[in-house]
Amino acid sequence: MARPVGPPKPRHYLMCRPTYFAVEYAINPWMDPAAGVDRERALRQWEALRDLYRGLGHQVAEIMPIEGLPDMVFAANGALVVDGRVYGARFASAERTPEGPAYLDWFRTAGYTETREPKHVNEGEGDFITLDDVVLAATGFRTEAAAHLEAERFLDRPVVTLQLVDPRFYHLDTALFPLSGDRVAYYPGAFSAGSQRVLRSLYPDALIATEEDAAVLGLNAVCDGRNVVIAAEATALADRLRGLGYAVHPVELDELRKAGGGAKCCTLELRGIRP
Ligand code: ARG
């Protein structure tokens, strides 16, 4: 991790306003339908995140939220977009299933011509992380390993399969985030012993996060190469990032964390040629 931090690269993101956000069912250990949420607060926190991205020079498009889909705010799960190709999502839970076609419709309407309806269960960028040389893909809780091959063929990028083992970190983006195209931060305990070996050999100079960092969804962060947008509670991880030369932007997203999501979950990156 001694290498200097690179320049920030402008990004294009797709987000979904939490107009209908709620915790009405429990599909991960963070969700407690009895606890309730403050939707107004969720909206304010989400708007602050969107405005922060814009302030950092990124472009943010918005997909229209749909009533009855309380988790649609977690746009990262809506698809995986690489080189302008859109690999659609197919959700593991019945509750979120309608989000897959809803996101694909957005892409088709926006003029994307290379879109793929997936055969296999996959939750988009929640379980696929795109780096320069490989796409890291997780299985274990949501995305099926068969979807990794499907994505590899459709996107024409090598995909590396990783196994998640801790139900708190049910999506890959809760356990690992890219700092640049070839360096990552992750919490080893979220992965099987074999996958920890894979990560060690691929990223020997990774930033290794602690369980405390991960337990506040500190790894559900978004980095543009220099700026890191990260959960405000992840103070120790933030300090280490600052020490490495990153510009850290803490965000309060505790209302959305009641559904198990953070900054990255709210953010789908649109990579490559856009129509
Ligand atoms: N409640 C949502 C679910 O369990 C949260 C999704 C968070 N998204 C993510 N990319 N990790 O599906």
Side-chain angles (χ1 to χ4, degrees):
M1 292 298 302
R3 285 176 293 156
V5 168
K9 292 203 191 87
R11 309 283 166 133
H12 287 78
Y13 296 133
L14 179 63
M15 298 181 72
C16 181
R17 171 181 285 276
T19 310
Y20 305 108
F21 177 63
V23 175
E24 292 166 347
Y25 47 79
I27 52 172
N28 69 53
W30 303 81
M31 300 175 88
D32 175 7
V37 297
D38 180 342
R39 190 180 283 159
E40 282 305 313
R41 196 157 173 271
L43 274 162
R44 284 197 302 277
Q45 294 185 338
W46 179 88
E47 280 173 356
L49 175 66
R50 181 201 55 194
D51 296 346
L52 172 61
Y53 287 143
R54 290 187 173 147
L56 291 172
H58 306 310
Q59 283 184 36
V60 180
E62 289 184 39
I63 180 174
M64 195 90 95
I66 298 174
E67 193 165 5
L69 297 177
D71 273 333
M72 196 171 167
V73 57
F74 301 116
N77 301 127
L80 168 65
V81 187
V82 179
D83 300 328
R85 292 182 189 165
V86 183
Y87 178 55
R90 183 160 160 183
F91 284 82
S93 61
E95 292 89 342
R96 298 196 67 184
T97 295
E99 294 182 43
Y103 274 91
L104 264 183
D105 275 354
W106 183 88
F107 282 100
R108 292 188 181 123
T109 305
Y112 284 80
T113 51
E114 289 190 83
T115 59
R116 170 67 55 97
E117 262 171 59
K119 280 202 185 63
H120 299 287
V121 170
N122 83 87
E123 298 198 349
E125 266 201 342
D127 274 328
F128 287 99
I129 292 180
T130 305
L131 292 140
D132 287 348
D133 295 333
V134 291
V135 176
L136 300 178
T139 187
F141 296 104
R142 303 286 181 90
T143 297
E144 294 173 339
H148 299 177
L149 279 178
E150 190 179 25
E152 182 172 81
R153 291 197 189 107
F154 174 60
L155 301 171
D156 200 21
R157 293 271 187 122
V159 173
V160 173
T161 293
L162 300 168
Q163 185 86 33
L164 293 170
V165 295
D166 183 330
R168 292 174 297 168
F169 310 115
Y170 56 93
H171 275 145
L172 182 58
D173 70 1
T174 63
L176 181 147
F177 74 95
L179 288 161
S180 63
D182 66 350
R183 67 170 130 175
V184 302
Y186 68 96
Y187 168 55
F191 298 93
S192 70
S195 297
Q196 290 182 33
R197 279 197 295 274
V198 171
L199 287 169
R200 271 201 302 273
S201 71
L202 283 175
Y203 304 105
D205 64 352
L207 174 57
I208 301 298
T210 65
E211 183 170 7
E212 290 71 35
D213 298 325
V216 291
L217 290 183
L219 291 162
N220 197 248
V222 177
C223 182
D224 63 9
R226 174 175 295 163
N227 299 292
V228 185
V229 176
I230 186 170
E233 295 82 357
T235 50
L237 183 56
D239 282 343
R240 291 175 63 202
L241 288 162
R242 283 190 197 96
L244 291 167
Y246 291 93
V248 174
H249 305 270
V251 282
E252 307 267 358
L253 286 174
D254 50 285
E255 212 50 54
L256 292 162
R257 195 165 49 227
K258 293 176 182 169
K264 170 57 208 164
C265 296
C266 296
T267 313
L268 176 60
E269 187 169 346
L270 309 178
R271 290 184 197 78
I273 308 119
R274 276 166 309 281

